Structure formats: structure tokens, C-alpha cells
Amino acid sequence: MPTIQVLVLLLAVTAAAAVIAKRFEIPEAIVLVLSGVALALLPGLPTVELAPDLVLLIVLPPVVYSAAVAMSWREFRFNLRPISLLAVGCVVFTTVAVAAVSHWMIGLAWPVGFVLGAIVSPPDAVAPLAIARRMRIPRRILVVLEGEGLGNDATALVLYRFAVAAVGMSSFSLGKATAEFIAIVAGEIIWGIGIGWLMLRLRRAVRDPRTELTLSILTPFLAYWPPVHLGGSGVLATVSTGLYISWNGLRLISAATRLQGIFFWDFLMYVVNGLVFLITGLQARTLIERISGTPMIQLSFSAASVCAVVIAARFVWMFPATYVPRWLSASLRRRDPSPPWQWPFVLAFTGIRGIVSLAAALALPFSTLDGQPFPARDLILFLTFTVILVTLVGQGLMLPAVIRLLDLTKEGHRELRADRAEEFGARREAVEAGLERLEQLASERSLADEIVRPIRTRYHDRLKHIVRSSDGDDGHRKLSELDHEIELQLIGAERNHVNSLSAQGKLKDEARRRIERELDLREAKIANEQAQE
């Protein structure tokens, strides 16, 4: 079947799966993977094989970059300790645990066990975050999950490269590998920040939304590809670029570009994630064909052992990583008191594996450095797919019930009410800042009362009618050129005040982005009216 027809069919199935997922309130990722498995087992349909380079070099960079840009830098920095303990510590711990179990219980050589461990160690946050956001669990759990999802792929891919290189080698130097790991981390962070700085300046220089969006598409690949070519993971560089742009883009990216970019990246990530999960399920036929000669009892035992250790290792790591640092540090206890046990439990339950694990398994070479066939390659592929299927479908379907049993939604709704009150307060203060700027302009320029009075009235009306869904600006009066200039000045005053509240930690980034989008819409409306005059 021609490639274009296969692509259209995959898009149609993706859309249908989205409808089913919404109807039954099931995460789309689960429906897509199961749909892919079902299609793969139907006779007569073409085999769709996932090219590992497509995921690792084409799909992964924009996915990681968009998640990093959407991340709040302030919240990421505040939660850097728990994020690092999961993104680095838990990945390393899981890798070692899987290697040990696969060596002692399955009979794999230690280097091969470490390859398998590195492949299945990084969780995928897409499905659990979709569930957690819908159920309104506490914000900090979401931030930790988001942050972990940004960093764990980098750790796992670096470990993966070391482990693959170690297979077939007569000796392996832990000290040398550690030094290389530190060099990779430092180099990628510096490279990522440099790319972020450069691309923001280029985008500010061109001042054209279409060109800026083109540059935004290029950004993750410029951040990702060079480190990969030099032996790194590329993920950490891409994360650094995204976080840098998230923190500094507000000053350097125009309102028109932000409005178009939000829609473009949201749609792109929706299509990419949907196709990736669907194609993951479609790999079932290929994997079954490859391991058809292995006894089913052996496969079942191996799969059960690896799945059990992958799930258990996260629980074993989570509770000590949450509470031991606080037991050891009094200052940490005062600054960041211990959370209730339900928080680490639900974080431990979200260890769902995804496309990065499958792509890494598919990218395994067919031979080692000394020319021998890569040991247990087909078994590693089968075990990786089984871990993805068990964690995504099993834990993913159980997660809503676990969240309800732990009664986490109550705290999440309290946070939501408090955040809404904070946001409404910021909206009122922003409008008041706009009024203050209006009076300054009226005094400085000796503006006529017939110009100032309608604007002042509109701003007072906004103060009276601020509601949850808007900032109360429902006026549609035709504005003159002078009105436009004044309105842009007032929008600038509102934006500066909102950004000041955010910088002081008095306004959450999520609320700031909502207010910012409304200010961008008002600015875009003025630009459109000016273009029509």
C-alpha cells in the first residue's frame, strides 16, 4: 500500500480513537496503542514498521522542546531536587535493578542486562499527565511529572549508549564512563542555552510570525542533532533550549507570533503523539514474528519478571527519595515539609513506558563492535514492547481509580480555587495599572476629555465585570489612530504589571499565560484594525 494511503489511514484511526477515548473517558494513548495492536493482528493489512531514527532524530526533538517551553521555569527550579532524583536517580536505579533481574533470572549477560535496563527505565509522562490534569490532582505532582519527563530520557539514552558500547568489549571503565557522563551533561546544558539565546535574537530580528514559526520548528533540531552526533543524548540540550525560551521568550517574542505558535505547536504535538502511540501498537505483528521460535513459557516468565521489577523499582525508590533527604536536613524540612504518603505513591504509580523505550530497542545494532550478532536482540524488543503494553494499559487504566482512592482530587480543587482567586486579583491589578497609565498619558499629552473619557469608562467597566472566563473587555467601539496608540500603551502597562507579579512569585505561570493570551488577542485586534484603515 502506498505510504500516503497508510498515513491517511493512520490519521483516520487516530481521529476515531480520540472520539472513543473522549466518549469513555480513557486516555487517548491507551486507545491508540490498543487500536494499533488490533490492526497489527488483522490479516491482510500492510506491516507498518517503526524506523528508530524517525523517532530519535525527528519525533523526539520537537516533543521534548514543546514540553520544555510549556514548563514553568520557576516551578521547575523549585522542584529541581525531586525532579533530579527521579529523572536521574530513579532511572539509574531501575536500570541496575532490571540488569540484575535479567542476569540472575533470565540469564542475560550483565552488559546486555544493562542495555535492557536503560531501554525500559524512562517513563513516558503523556498518558499519566492527561489523566492527572483531568482529575485535578495537586499542582506540584504535575510539575514533578512534567519535569521528570523532560530529563529522564536524557539519562536513559546516555546510559543506553554506554551499555550498547560495553556489549562485546572485554573491559569497561566506570570512572571513564562517569567522567564522560558529566561532560555530556555540562556540554549539552551550555549548548542548549546558547541555541535558545541565538534563536530568540534571530526571531526578534525578523519580526515576522511566519518566519519566526519556521525558526521555532528548526530550534529543537539545532539543539538536538549536534550533541547526538558527538555521542550525547541531545535531550538535555533540547530541554535547556526550551526552558531558556520559556523564561526569556516573553520579552522577545511578539504577541502575533505567540498566538499563532500556541495553535500550531498544540496541533502538531497532538498529531505526532497520536501517530506515535498508534504506530507503537502496530509493531505487535513484527515482534511476534521475530520471537515465534522461542517457547511461550520462557517468554511469559521473562516478561513477567521484567515488568514486575520495572514497576516495583519505582515504588522502592520513590519513598526513600521523598522522605530521606528531609530526615537528613532540618533546613529542607523547614523550607519544604514532607508531603503526605499519597503523593509519592501516586508518583510511583505513574511509571508508564512509551515510545522512547521502543525506539531505543528498535535502534539496537544487529552486531556488536567485534562483529558478533547482538545478543538477545529480539528478546529485548519483545520485553520492551511488553513493558510498554503492561504499564500503559494496566497502570494507565487503573490510575484514575488510584487517584480517587487516595483522595487527591480534593486538594487539587482547593488549589484551583486559590489559584483562580490569585488570578482574578492579578487581573484587577493589571486593569488598575492600565488606568494609572491612562491618567499619566492624559496629563503628559494634555489629551482631550472626549478621547480619555470613553477609554476610562471602558476600563472601569472591566473592573466591574471581570469574570473567570475573560478580563471583562467586551467593548467593540471603533478606535481612532490615537485611540490605538493609547490602547497599546495601556496593554503594555497591564502586561508589565502581570509580569512583575509573576516574577515576584505572586502569580502562577499558568494563570500568567492565560492573561497574557488575552492581552495578545487585544493587541492582535488593534493590529488588524490598523491594517484595515
Side-chain angles (χ1 to χ4, degrees):
M1 184 180 290
T3 303
I4 188 66
Q5 294 182 23
V6 173
L7 180 59
V8 171
L9 174 63
L10 294 180
L11 288 172
V13 174
T14 301
V19 173
I20 295 171
K22 186 174 182 180
R23 173 67 179 81
F24 294 98
E25 295 187 349
I26 301 173
E28 289 183 24
I30 297 175
V31 178
L32 286 165
V33 168
L34 292 177
S35 300
V37 172
L39 289 174
L41 299 180
L42 287 177
L45 288 181
T47 300
V48 179
E49 292 194 23
L50 183 66
D53 286 345
L54 176 68
V55 174
L56 295 178
L57 296 180
I58 304 299
V59 173
L60 190 58
V63 170
V64 171
Y65 172 76
S66 64
V69 171
M71 183 78 184
S72 164
W73 165 245
R74 184 174 63 247
E75 292 179 329
F76 180 86
R77 183 178 57 188
F78 179 78
N79 291 283
L80 186 58
R81 177 186 49 79
I83 288 172
S84 300
L85 286 171
L86 287 176
V88 179
C90 190
V91 167
V92 173
F93 179 73
T94 304
T95 300
V96 173
V98 171
V101 168
S102 61
H103 175 71
W104 289 323
M105 301 184 68
I106 302 176
L108 298 180
W110 275 108
V112 179
F114 274 102
V115 170
L116 175 60
I119 288 173
V120 299
S121 59
D124 188 317
V126 173
L129 275 174
I131 298 170
R133 288 195 181 106
R134 188 181 74 239
M135 300 191 69
R136 300 288 186 188
I137 70 172
R139 172 68 184 165
R140 190 172 187 188
I141 298 177
L142 297 177
V143 171
V144 173
L145 272 178
E146 289 174 323
E148 180 194 8
L150 293 177
N152 57 18
D153 291 338
T155 306
L157 289 175
V158 172
L159 292 175
Y160 168 80
R161 294 181 188 278
F162 287 149
V164 169
V167 176
M169 293 176 58
S170 57
S171 62
F172 177 76
S173 172
L174 180 61
K176 181 180 178 181
T178 303
E180 288 183 12
F181 180 81
I182 294 172
I184 288 172
V185 170
E188 289 201 19
I189 291 175
I190 294 171
W191 174 258
I193 293 174
I195 291 296
W197 182 91
L198 174 64
M199 298 308 289
L200 276 180
R201 268 67 190 177
L202 286 175
R203 291 171 65 172
R204 185 173 179 84
V206 298
R207 287 288 186 175
D208 176 70
R210 289 169 296 185
T211 307
E212 287 188 64
L213 284 178
T214 304
L215 290 173
S216 76
I217 296 171
L218 295 174
T219 299
F221 300 106
L222 290 176
Y224 186 91
W225 284 349
V228 169
H229 181 70
L230 295 174
S233 72
V235 174
L236 196 56
T238 310
V239 169
S240 301
T241 299
L243 288 173
Y244 182 89
I245 290 177
S246 173
W247 181 249
N248 297 280
L250 183 64
R251 298 180 292 105
L252 301 174
I253 298 176
S254 67
T257 302
R258 274 197 301 269
L259 288 172
Q260 295 182 40
I262 289 171
F263 170 79
F264 171 80
W265 279 98
D266 183 62
F267 176 73
L268 179 64
M269 289 303 100
Y270 172 79
V271 172
V272 168
N273 281 319
L275 290 176
V276 162
F277 279 110
L278 180 59
I279 295 174
T280 298
L282 288 170
Q283 306 312 296
R285 178 188 297 181
T286 302
L287 295 173
I288 290 173
E289 291 173 352
R290 289 181 178 179
I291 49 87
S292 58
T294 307
M296 186 54 64
I297 295 178
Q298 179 183 342
L299 289 175
S300 301
F301 176 76
S302 301
S305 301
V306 174
C307 289
V309 71
V310 164
I311 295 171
R314 189 169 173 88
F315 279 90
V316 172
W317 176 266
M318 186 65 65
F319 285 90
T322 301
Y323 295 111
V324 169
R326 293 176 171 88
W327 294 343
L328 298 177
S329 173
S331 62
L332 177 59
R333 285 198 303 273
R334 289 191 297 270
R335 184 175 69 255
D336 187 13
S338 296
W341 68 268
Q342 291 92 337
W343 289 29
F345 187 93
V346 78
L347 279 170
F349 203 86
T350 56
I352 293 170
R353 271 55 182 179
I355 188 60
V356 172
S357 294
L358 184 61
L362 290 168
L364 283 173
F366 287 94
S367 60
T368 61
L369 294 177
D370 58 2
Q372 298 297 316
F374 198 94
R377 187 179 187 276
D378 290 341
L379 178 61
I380 291 174
L381 283 170
F382 172 77
L383 294 176
T384 301
F385 185 80
T386 304
V387 169
I388 294 172
L389 200 61
V390 169
T391 56
L392 179 60
V393 178
Q395 290 180 272
L397 289 176
M398 293 172 62
L399 184 56
V402 170
I403 291 174
R404 282 190 289 268
L405 285 173
L406 297 177
D407 202 22
L408 290 172
T409 57
K410 192 178 297 182
E411 176 63 26
H413 281 91
R414 279 198 294 267
E415 284 185 1
L416 178 63
R417 288 193 293 270
D419 290 346
R420 286 297 190 186
E422 179 182 81
E423 179 181 340
F424 302 150
R427 289 177 183 275
R428 284 190 293 271
E429 290 185 29
V431 174
E432 289 167 354
L435 272 171
E436 184 178 344
R437 179 59 179 155
L438 175 63
E439 301 304 331
Q440 290 176 353
L441 288 172
S443 175
E444 292 169 1
R445 301 188 182 185
S446 302
L447 297 174
D449 185 60
E450 58 267 20
I451 294 175
V452 176
R453 187 174 62 252
I455 301 175
R456 184 188 294 124
T457 301
R458 190 165 66 254
Y459 266 71
H460 281 296
D461 287 342
R462 288 177 60 195
L463 278 176
K464 293 177 184 176
H465 298 98
I466 284 179
V467 293
R468 298 190 177 210
S469 58
S470 76
D471 64 356
D473 185 19
D474 298 320
H476 299 284
R477 184 178 64 90
K478 184 71 174 178
L479 302 180
S480 68
E481 184 176 345
L482 181 58
D483 287 329
H484 285 144
E485 181 187 349
I486 294 172
E487 190 74 19
L488 290 173
Q489 291 264 5
L490 303 188
I491 291 173
E494 291 185 55
R495 182 176 280 122
N496 290 337
H497 188 80
V498 169
N499 292 338
S500 175
L501 291 175
S502 176
Q504 297 169 28
K506 296 179 180 178
L507 182 66
K508 302 289 189 303
D509 274 15
E510 189 176 350
R512 176 188 61 79
R513 288 186 174 122
R514 279 196 295 269
I515 300 174
E516 177 187 276
R517 184 173 184 275
E518 292 174 5
L519 294 173
D520 289 345
L521 286 169
R522 288 170 55 199
E523 189 172 324
K525 177 185 174 184
I526 293 173
N528 184 54
E529 289 181 358
Q530 288 176 322
Q532 292 175 355
E533 290 177 354

